[in-house]
Amino acid sequence: MSFFSLFKKKISPAPAKQGRGFLVFENTSEVIRAEKLLKQQGWQIRVMGPPPEIRTGCDLVIEIPLMESLHILKQLEDSQNKPLQMVPVSSPLLEPVSIFQIKDFGPWLMVRAANMKLTIEKQTGTIVNISGGGCPDVPYLAWQMVGKKMSDAPVPSDIGHTLCGYALQLAYEEMNRQCSAL
């Protein structure tokens, strides 16, 4: 062993992407309720787009740690929000689909979450556009948020009550993550 090898950083292998599963629900409202409950309970979960192999009509699934699936399923059953099925990720082809798309247009940054788009001016952090969806509250959400800085705009989940409001909330959270990286 050489002197310099004593100071070399040991690189541990990246954690395997095993031990995950998806909860498949009948509709998006059930996904939203389950996500809220599980996050309140402190579970590390993610809402994702379902892989085509398990798509059932709902455009969202919840990714969970497989080792905790019994506890999670019990909590969901107790809350009357049981999923249609729990699918272990057993194939590399069974990957969830990100519901986010991020486009950098130079001075503007757009985040799309499912069917909703949120665009800001990067230099000022001002929301310049909200579009997408077909829900009745989208014009209200845009009216309340466009022209305001991200830090001053209302949080979409506080003023939106539809699937589009939920998707805009996800875009808002992702935009905050993107802006913190700028």
Side-chain angles (χ1 to χ4, degrees):
M1 178 182 287
S2 74
F3 175 76
F4 292 107
S5 66
L6 293 173
F7 299 102
K8 277 190 174 175
K9 212 176 186 180
K10 289 188 177 180
I11 299 172
S12 56
K17 289 190 172 190
Q18 298 175 0
R20 299 175 305 145
F22 303 123
L23 299 176
V24 180
F25 292 87
E26 185 168 338
N27 59 57
T28 307
S29 296
E30 292 178 355
V31 172
I32 295 169
R33 277 197 311 268
E35 178 197 24
K36 184 176 180 181
L37 173 77
L38 295 174
K39 283 189 173 178
Q40 284 174 345
Q41 300 292 323
W43 295 106
Q44 296 295 314
I45 61 165
R46 286 191 311 172
V47 174
M48 304 290 292
E53 293 82 4
I54 62 170
R55 194 164 284 164
T56 59
C58 178
D59 291 337
L60 300 172
V61 293
I62 296 179
E63 184 183 59
I64 63 168
L66 198 54
M67 291 294 289
E68 304 295 339
S69 62
L70 290 177
H71 298 293
I72 289 172
L73 288 171
K74 175 78 170 110
Q75 286 184 344
L76 291 173
E77 191 173 324
D78 290 347
S79 70
Q80 309 294 316
N81 198 23
K82 188 177 175 184
L84 290 175
Q85 61 179 325
M86 201 286 296
V87 180
V89 178
S90 57
S91 163
L93 296 176
L94 201 58
E95 282 294 317
V97 179
S98 175
I99 59 173
F100 298 110
Q101 291 180 343
I102 295 143
K103 293 245 180 188
D104 189 336
F105 295 108
W108 301 283
L109 184 66
M110 182 188 79
V111 171
R112 179 181 176 166
N115 60 349
M116 291 299 299
K117 295 176 221 132
L118 173 69
T119 307
I120 66 162
E121 182 183 38
K122 289 192 297 191
Q123 188 173 12
T124 63
T126 302
I127 299 170
V128 296
N129 188 37
I130 290 175
S131 60
C135 305
D137 61 350
V138 172
Y140 176 72
L141 290 165
W143 179 62
Q144 289 292 311
M145 296 177 71
V146 171
K148 295 179 179 164
K149 292 186 176 193
M150 285 284 290
S151 58
D152 298 334
V155 177
S157 64
D158 289 346
I159 58 173
H161 304 286
T162 62
L163 174 60
C164 299
Y166 174 75
L168 185 59
Q169 176 66 30
L170 296 176
Y172 177 85
E173 292 170 2
E174 182 62 26
M175 183 64 82
N176 278 324
R177 275 191 290 276
Q178 294 292 320
C179 289
S180 67
L182 292 177

